[in-house]
Amino acid sequence: MIRQGRSRGRWIVSIWIPCLVLSAAAGHGEDFDWLSIEDGIGAPHALESASIEAVAGRLDEWVDSGFGFVEVAWRTHVRIKAASEVEVRQSVVRLFVNDAGAQQAGTIEITIETDRSSLRVERAYLLLPDGRRQAVDPDSVQVTDSQDPDLFSTLKTVSLPMGGVVPGSVAFVEYTLIRRIEGDPLPWSSLFNMQTLVPILSNEIVVENEREPGWFDWATNDPGLECGTVSAGRLVCRRSEMAAVRLDPAVRSYLDVIPHFVVGQRVTWRELSARVAGLVEAKLDVSDEMEKAIARIREEFEEPEARARELYRVVSNQVRYLGFEHGDAAVVPRPASLTWKRRFGDCKDKVTLFVAMARALDLEVTPVLTSVSFFEPGTFVLPAASYFDHMIVCSDALPRDGGCVDVTLSSSPPGLPFVLQGGVALELTRRGADSIRPLPRRAALWEFGVTRDIRLECDGGIREKVDYRQGGPWGETLRSMLVQLSPDEREQYLANEYAQAMGVSEQRPEMELGGLARVGRPWTVHYASTRAQRAEMKGAQHFYDVNRWLLAVARSLVSENRHHDYAFPGIRLEAVSRYRLCEEAEIEYEGAALDLASRWGSLTRRYETRNDEVIVRSMLSMDSRVVSPSENEDLRLYLSRSLDQSAIQFGYRVD
Amino acid sequence: MGCSTSPAGWAIAALVTIGLGCASSRIPQTIDETPAGRIDPLPAGTDRVVSSDGSFSIGIVGRAGKGPGSALGHEKAEFGLVLPDEDIGLVAYRYSGAQTSIDDVVHHRRTLVRSAGLLHFVSEERFFLSTGRYRAASLCAWEGDGRRASRYAYSLIADTPGGAVEILAWTRDARGRDALRAAVLRFRLEVE
């Protein structure tokens, strides 16, 4: 519900709620009363000479660095005005190192919520290597709506295209965002990221408070940002060169990784919790139409847990996710009765509806603020609404489902989705919650069962049928993805999965997908194929086989991360391989039982021989956890050396 | 249990014959606990070695590890011992090819045993050694079949950076079988 905007290369988080727009309307700068572009945007910026000096002689250094552009300077001046406004003036000085950089960052983007805010562009020009200044043409400025199709909002993106960018040229942009905070439903706050995809040579943040002393508070998790109060009500923070953020294949959110500065109206977690709770409490009405649904649930389900699960099913499936989040509606839920009548709403609307109906059913439930942008509790360095962008609901009546559910999901069993496992929660209660807390995380987020039926024919032919089933939060994520694909896309997905697991497939197997509609139960895939490989069916033989599904799934769990932690999902993988031999064959011996245990989990295996069958049961059991780069090598080594021992082997004789 | 002659001809996979002295009856727990207190490397191809204090001797028929049909041509016996007064034997091999996997050695050993026709394979289990980082080991159990019952052998094959190492141990005493297994398992291979 609280949204972040990005001006290219720079993140600004403010309080809007995710909303979508079905048609992306566009307009020019002069068409909007909240946007002004000053006449003198081509006049020299105050930072011009200092910036030129800073980059002088360093262009060659960056040409070989791999970066297409470099941020020479970021300046942020936050002015908390007595007149219930907050002005944020920002300057960006950007050096283009090569043509690729011009392509990547030649347009400056500014995100703004237009109901409470206005934007004034004061400087926007390019300083060419020969010293000429080329201002952005106001007619070329474009305004676009949010591209999120399920959210209708007043969130806009203003694009300022630099013209004539060549390597060595420098863009200077300065703009001011003015936000009215009088009557704002939530305490004002803003986040400023201290790092981006390219180096930042210097960064300065100034906060000026014209309201009563102590009105605002600030914090940072950037140890390199030096802050000091230079006069009453004036905070100045400076940072010298900041390297580009290092990228890794698996990072849950770079916002957890990038250090930031947060400033906002001084509140405690308790006050913030109580304030948002008040927004929900005010909308907990129950209409006659709602009463009918409540009465049905009360009549059909006796136990609190059954009632809570049925209510989850109704709210998540019969009320679709769609947000009308214009202005304050980004944070203020609609009345429960209206959401029920419309049968659509966003997270806070659906949570409010759930809470209203749950209380009518005498269920104890608590709305909870959470985030799909920030996941590490340590990142929340100040009580501020800007960290949060989502709402869920928790209840003791849902013990089997982990106690918390996300009612924005449809066609999903109760519980938290993959992305929110182990996230951050702020409970919303009338008295307020003391602090944030971690959301529960299931021991294993992926449940994968694979059954292989392999027949060794008397002529040496090998036929194989594979059935796999997936469950757990990750399996549910995949189900949601598959449901939204077309039949052809699903078939292609299954073919790709097969090819990925088996290597280059020589032939397309028969494939069948099932169970997508059976919510709460694993969905299944069936493959049938004939192998090109043949078995020797004469004399004493040793059969050697690899369960490629086990290998593919296990290897997909680990990342190549070298710089940042990642969330290892954990798994319960149960594999059964049943080898049925030609009746002329006699099974002589079984392969190795496995007990490969470590701090990461275990891979176990047992063989069982029945007449002409060898049945091999394997279990890979690993718990979810956060893995640091220093631990990652050990995890990879464990998996690699376990899988090295996982070949299936047995002996047979055909006389 | 008294002294007995070496099970010539039995020799797991026809690789090893044992000559006996008389000494301690205790099953060694680690290499350091061997009766001589030290292990002398045994050059491949040596026919017979007698320890300096006479506590054990080992004879190897032919070139160590060159079993019939072996795909592993580089194996070498590094040490061996026999505990006098008991029909217990132990020998270790290092398969010098760094790429030789446990699968290779197990298969090789199984093939040799099958060709000798004196023992049958009972079971195999794989686990990580207590030393090193996820260095796998395989413990195979064998038993004499029918007429030649009361022969029990264990083969511990461990993955090491320099290639696979095998410790092969056997006994004729059924009562000592579990102790032998435990002893083999307790060998601490300093593999990393």
Side-chain angles (χ1 to χ4, degrees):
Chain A
M1 45 182 278
I2 295 152
R3 192 117 233 229
Q4 67 197 9
R6 187 168 72 121
S7 75
R8 187 168 292 219
R10 163 163 239 185
W11 293 86
I12 303 164
V13 180
S14 21
I15 304 181
W16 335 130
I17 295 182
C19 298
L20 343 167
V21 173
L22 291 175
S23 60
H28 294 297
E30 70 272 20
D31 298 337
F32 304 95
D33 58 4
W34 49 265
L35 172 63
S36 63
I37 301 173
E38 294 196 345
D39 291 339
I41 59 172
H45 191 287
L47 288 172
E48 194 180 275
S49 57
S51 298
I52 300 306
E53 192 177 324
V55 301
R58 294 190 66 181
L59 189 58
D60 288 345
E61 171 191 333
W62 292 313
V63 165
D64 295 329
S65 70
F67 296 112
F69 67 100
V70 172
E71 301 290 54
V72 178
W74 282 3
R75 296 288 182 271
T76 302
H77 189 151
V78 180
R79 190 171 159 217
I80 301 164
K81 298 172 76 173
S84 295
E85 278 184 352
V86 174
E87 275 188 8
V88 179
R89 173 172 293 177
Q90 299 198 285
S91 293
V92 176
V93 181
R94 180 172 298 168
L95 168 69
F96 297 97
V97 176
N98 55 32
D99 291 333
Q103 194 66 42
Q104 294 163 2
T107 298
I108 310 289
E109 293 179 358
I110 306 163
T111 303
I112 175 174
E113 190 283 318
T114 57
D115 196 60
R116 282 186 170 270
S117 301
S118 61
L119 172 65
R120 186 171 67 235
V121 180
E122 289 137 348
R123 294 285 183 284
Y125 70 90
L126 188 72
L127 181 65
L128 294 161
D130 62 8
R132 286 181 296 130
R133 294 185 189 88
Q134 189 161 316
V136 166
D137 179 357
D139 287 341
S140 68
V141 173
Q142 181 175 252
V143 177
T144 49
D145 290 334
S146 162
Q147 299 295 301
D148 192 341
D150 288 331
L151 280 177
F152 298 0
S153 79
T154 41
L155 202 64
K156 308 285 185 187
T157 299
V158 178
S159 300
L160 308 173
M162 294 289 153
V165 179
V166 294
S169 53
V170 182
F172 289 86
V173 174
E174 184 174 63
Y175 57 89
T176 302
L177 287 159
I178 304 119
R179 180 171 177 84
R180 288 178 288 107
I181 60 171
E182 189 68 41
D184 209 330
L186 293 184
W188 165 80
S189 63
S190 265
L191 297 184
F192 302 97
N193 287 315
M194 304 302 299
Q195 196 173 28
T196 185
L197 298 171
V198 298
I200 306 167
L201 301 194
S202 77
N203 199 342
E204 181 180 284
I205 297 172
V206 175
V207 181
E208 209 166 356
N209 180 26
E210 297 174 7
R211 300 185 69 135
E212 65 273 19
W215 185 86
F216 81 99
D217 202 356
W218 64 276
T220 183
N221 57 357
D222 180 2
L225 185 66
E226 295 177 356
C227 296
T229 303
V230 295
S231 64
R234 185 177 169 88
L235 173 76
V236 177
C237 301
R238 292 195 179 93
R239 196 197 202 293
S240 55
E241 201 153 330
M242 168 68 98
V245 63
R246 305 301 300 266
L247 302 183
D248 269 332
V251 173
R252 201 173 189 184
S253 170
Y254 275 98
L255 292 176
D256 276 336
V257 170
I258 293 172
H260 67 268
F261 174 89
V262 54
V263 58
Q265 184 177 351
R266 186 187 298 272
V267 289
T268 62
W269 287 119
R270 182 181 288 279
E271 289 164 343
L272 180 61
S273 162
R275 190 138 157 200
V276 182
L279 300 177
V280 175
E281 295 285 342
K283 302 298 173 69
L284 298 177
D285 62 338
V286 177
S287 65
D288 291 344
E289 289 300 310
M290 290 166 66
E291 286 286 8
K292 290 178 188 169
I294 292 165
R296 181 191 65 80
I297 294 172
R298 188 181 289 120
E299 188 177 315
E300 292 181 13
F301 301 91
E302 197 166 323
E303 297 301 318
E305 183 177 8
R307 288 179 174 179
R309 293 187 118 221
E310 174 62 7
L311 181 58
Y312 166 81
R313 189 189 68 76
V314 167
V315 174
S316 63
N317 292 328
Q318 296 179 10
V319 181
R320 86 175 192 277
Y321 179 77
L322 177 68
F324 273 172
E325 302 190 335
H326 300 93
D328 292 350
V331 293
V332 180
R334 285 180 174 70
S337 57
L338 179 60
T339 301
W340 183 246
K341 182 181 176 186
R342 286 175 162 175
R343 294 294 202 276
F344 67 69
D346 61 17
C347 57
K348 62 190 182 301
D349 297 335
K350 295 182 73 170
V351 164
T352 302
L353 174 64
F354 185 95
V355 172
M357 295 176 80
R359 289 189 181 166
L361 287 163
D362 299 321
L363 299 171
E364 289 287 333
V365 296
T366 306
V368 170
L369 269 185
T370 185
S371 176
V372 291
S373 303
F374 297 89
F375 299 96
E376 294 302 322
T379 310
F380 292 64
V381 292
L382 188 76
S386 298
Y387 289 111
F388 299 98
D389 58 9
H390 194 41
M391 195 182 285
I392 57 173
V393 63
C394 298
S395 172
D396 290 341
L398 293 162
R400 283 188 299 162
D401 305 308
C404 297
V405 292
D406 184 342
V407 289
T408 62
L409 303 176
S410 63
S411 302
S412 293
L416 288 178
F418 179 78
V419 70
L420 283 177
Q421 295 281 330
V424 172
L426 178 65
E427 292 183 351
L428 306 176
T429 62
R430 290 189 185 96
R431 290 183 60 245
D434 284 339
S435 63
I436 57 171
R437 65 171 175 84
L439 284 168
R441 180 200 296 270
R442 280 173 58 153
L445 305 183
W446 198 6
E447 292 161 12
F448 195 103
V450 58
T451 303
R452 302 160 68 228
D453 191 342
I454 300 120
R455 186 161 189 91
L456 277 62
E457 308 283 8
C458 292
D459 64 0
I462 302 176
R463 285 189 295 133
E464 177 168 1
K465 292 179 182 174
V466 175
D467 290 275
Y468 72 66
R469 60 193 182 280
Q470 298 200 44
W474 180 244
E476 290 303 325
T477 300
L478 293 176
R479 182 208 299 269
S480 301
M481 182 270 293
L482 286 167
V483 164
Q484 293 172 31
L485 297 181
S486 71
D488 283 349
E489 287 172 323
R490 278 184 212 132
E491 186 175 323
Q492 191 56 50
Y493 173 82
L494 297 186
N496 289 344
E497 287 288 291
Y498 186 84
Q500 202 168 349
M502 306 301 284
V504 177
S505 63
E506 293 147 0
Q507 62 175 54
R508 198 179 180 91
E510 294 173 31
M511 301 178 293
E512 189 179 333
L513 177 64
L516 282 186
R518 293 198 306 267
V519 175
R521 296 178 60 188
W523 52 277
T524 59
V525 175
H526 172 79
Y527 295 105
S529 63
T530 302
R531 289 193 195 173
Q533 171 199 359
R534 298 185 71 78
E536 285 293 331
M537 299 308 271
K538 189 173 182 183
Q541 299 295 336
H542 181 80
F543 191 78
Y544 183 98
D545 193 21
V546 173
N547 187 340
R548 293 182 183 276
W549 293 96
L550 166 64
L551 267 56
V553 169
R555 287 173 178 157
S556 73
L557 294 168
V558 291
S559 172
E560 299 279 354
N561 278 28
R562 295 187 314 152
H563 310 291
H564 307 296
D565 295 356
Y566 71 97
F568 179 79
I571 192 163
R572 297 287 181 269
L573 185 152
E574 189 179 0
V576 179
S577 298
R578 182 188 301 268
Y579 296 85
R580 286 188 293 167
L581 278 68
C582 147
E583 58 273 12
E584 295 170 13
E586 181 186 349
I587 296 159
E588 286 204 310
Y589 57 85
E590 301 169 347
L594 299 182
D595 187 7
L596 301 168
S598 77
R599 65 185 177 119
W600 300 106
S602 63
L603 173 63
T604 57
R605 170 172 294 162
R606 295 293 178 266
Y607 282 77
E608 184 183 339
T609 303
R610 290 185 198 158
N611 301 323
D612 60 348
E613 285 186 347
V614 178
I615 301 165
V616 188
R617 300 179 196 280
S618 309
M619 171 67 91
L620 177 64
S621 180
M622 302 176 78
D623 284 352
S624 63
R625 55 171 294 178
V626 173
V627 178
S628 69
S630 60
E631 296 172 306
N632 201 27
E633 184 199 349
D634 193 64
L635 169 59
R636 296 173 65 81
L637 189 67
Y638 166 68
L639 265 179
S640 163
R641 291 192 171 165
S642 296
L643 297 176
D644 280 349
Q645 306 304 322
S646 69
I648 295 171
Q649 305 179 63
F650 57 86
Y652 64 94
R653 172 181 290 277
V654 183
D655 294 321
Chain B
M1 294 183 288
C3 290
S4 63
T5 57
S6 71
W10 169 68
I12 284 192
L15 284 177
V16 185
T17 56
I18 305 296
L20 293 176
C22 286
S24 162
S25 63
R26 182 168 168 266
I27 294 171
Q29 303 297 301
T30 71
I31 290 172
D32 290 339
E33 292 179 31
T34 53
R38 62 192 172 88
I39 299 298
D40 294 323
L42 190 66
T46 302
D47 288 335
R48 189 173 187 83
V49 169
V50 178
S51 67
S52 55
D53 61 2
S55 61
F56 66 90
S57 64
I58 297 173
I60 295 179
V61 175
R63 192 172 171 79
K66 282 275 187 178
S70 169
L72 307 172
H74 301 290
E75 64 187 62
K76 180 175 78 171
E78 289 206 334
F79 72 88
L81 65 92
V82 170
L83 301 179
D85 294 330
E86 294 192 21
D87 191 4
I88 289 177
L90 183 148
V91 65
Y93 299 93
R94 180 175 296 279
Y95 297 82
S96 56
Q99 299 305 312
T100 306
S101 71
I102 291 178
D103 279 348
D104 294 334
V105 180
V106 170
H107 185 60
H108 166 67
R109 177 63 64 217
R110 189 183 278 129
T111 302
L112 294 178
V113 171
R114 190 204 304 244
S115 67
L118 300 174
L119 294 170
H120 70 265
F121 172 81
V122 176
S123 66
E124 183 193 355
E125 53 194 298
R126 293 196 193 184
F127 44 85
F128 288 128
L129 294 169
S130 56
T131 57
R133 290 172 64 199
Y134 314 127
R135 286 292 178 184
S138 160
L139 183 71
C140 289
W142 315 81
E143 278 186 17
D145 56 6
R147 295 159 300 160
R148 295 178 185 271
S150 298
R151 295 179 192 269
Y152 307 95
Y154 290 97
S155 164
L156 179 72
I157 300 163
D159 172 30
T160 79
V165 168
E166 180 181 17
I167 294 171
L168 192 61
W170 60 91
T171 182
R172 282 187 167 185
D173 182 3
R175 291 170 301 173
R177 181 176 50 176
D178 291 341
L180 183 67
R181 179 181 187 279
V184 168
L185 280 175
R186 278 198 293 269
F187 264 86
R188 296 289 183 263
L189 299 174
E190 300 297 332
V191 293
E192 282 189 344

